[in-house]
Every structure is written in C-alpha cells, then in structure tokens.
Amino acid sequence: RERECAKEMLQLLGALPTDDPKVWCTLPEASSKKAEVDPLDVEKVRGMVHGRVSKTAVVELQESVACVMTSSAPLHADEKATGSCDVTVLEKLDPDFAELWAEARRVSGLVRQQWYVSSLTVKAEGGDRPFALGIGLATNAKMAQVRAVHAAEARLQVLTDELLTKLTTRQEGAA
C-alpha cells in the first residue's frame, strides 16, 4: 500500500509545474489579522475557480484536522549541517513553537503542541479525488482555515481545466 501511495503522490507532483513559484502554498502577510474565514471568502475563491475552469468544479473548505508534529527535516541534504531551515519555517508558523522545537530536537525530545491542518479542495466533475488547492497549518483550527484559503487564492493562478482533470482523475494503471 505504501508503494501505491508513493506512486500516486509522484504522479500528482509530476503534474504540477513546480518550478513556478505560484504553485507553492504561501502564508498571509503578517499584517493580516484575520482570525477566521468569512463564508464570502470561500465563495470568492469558488467564483475564481469557476472563472478559470469548468463551472462544474466542486470547491470545499475542509474542517481542520488535529495532529502533533513529531519530526522535521531540512529540504536539501546540504542543509543538514546547519539544520535550521525547517525551524525557520516553523518560526513563521508559530514563533514560540520554533524555539521549543529546536531545543527538543537538541535533546531528542518532543514538544506537546497540537497543530491543525486544513485544506481548500477542488474537484473536477466526474473526478475520482479532490485536489488540495490550498493547505493551511497552524496551532489554531480557524487560523489553519484562513491560511488554506489564502494559499488557494495564490495558487489559483496556475489552475487550468487540463491540470484539474489530470490531478483529480485516476489514470489507468495508477492504482
């Protein structure tokens, strides 16, 4: 099952133009003090999706799911020496957690902190699975949703009918 999952993930990642910075999820500006998602924000994204792709695409903001972070790793092998890249990212998500995380990693420990992951998904009509257009991670469930909507708005620029169909429809031989 793990091999099947990895194979499916590689196909999905292969479909995205990862060299385009608009493909990656981004955080809202620090000056944005939005505490929760307004339903009009989701409707705005839904309208933008329908403007870019077929009118039958289904757009949904998923409920936040609780999780606990148990490890992190640098993105590139050459960052292992400094080991701070992943902590820098965590600092942007929650400054207090990053400091605790660095210390816990130093002593091979854990930080007891609940995190929330939310996503804004889009699925083509007749699609087999949804595609996470925006993903949000935060220590507050509502903030995770705010970040997911923001990321979806930014990533929407690369969404096309062809890409949506490729991402939400299982190809023959993929399962």
Side-chain angles (χ1 to χ4, degrees):
R1 177 68 189 135
E2 290 169 355
R3 284 187 182 159
E4 292 171 12
C5 183
K7 188 175 171 183
E8 192 172 304
M9 288 295 295
L10 285 174
Q11 287 175 343
L12 290 175
L13 288 173
L16 290 170
T18 54
D19 55 338
D20 186 347
K22 296 178 208 124
V23 169
W24 300 97
C25 290
T26 59
L27 291 172
E29 294 297 321
S31 61
S32 173
K33 299 294 181 194
K34 193 171 243 188
E36 62 183 75
V37 174
D38 184 338
L40 293 175
D41 293 337
V42 178
E43 284 303 317
K44 176 181 155 190
V45 173
R46 186 173 285 124
M48 291 171 25
V49 166
H50 290 166
R52 292 196 58 83
V53 298
S54 65
K55 301 282 187 228
T56 55
V58 178
V59 179
E60 294 179 330
L61 178 61
Q62 305 298 319
E63 287 297 318
S64 296
V65 177
C67 62
V68 175
M69 204 172 297
T70 58
S71 67
S72 64
L75 297 173
H76 304 287
D78 59 335
E79 293 170 354
K80 283 187 179 181
T82 61
S84 63
C85 180
D86 51 330
V87 176
T88 304
V89 171
L90 291 173
E91 181 126 359
K92 290 198 179 290
L93 296 172
D94 186 334
D96 298 332
F97 181 80
E99 185 179 331
L100 295 171
W101 186 255
E103 179 62 16
R105 184 165 57 186
R106 187 183 69 77
V107 296
S108 300
L110 288 175
V111 178
R112 293 178 61 152
Q113 172 71 52
Q114 190 165 6
W115 285 81
Y116 295 90
V117 178
S118 185
S119 62
L120 190 138
T121 60
V122 61
K123 184 166 86 169
E125 180 182 27
D128 300 318
R129 60 181 171 227
F131 168 65
L133 185 60
I135 299 172
L137 178 68
T139 54
N140 173 312
K142 299 288 185 192
M143 183 54 70
Q145 288 183 325
V146 168
R147 289 177 176 173
V149 170
H150 173 79
E153 288 174 344
R155 290 178 85 190
L156 190 63
Q157 299 173 35
V158 297
L159 192 65
T160 63
D161 273 320
E162 181 183 333
L163 182 63
L164 182 62
T165 301
K166 187 185 271 187
L167 292 169
T168 61
T169 306
R170 251 183 242 284
Q171 282 83 31
E172 292 300 318

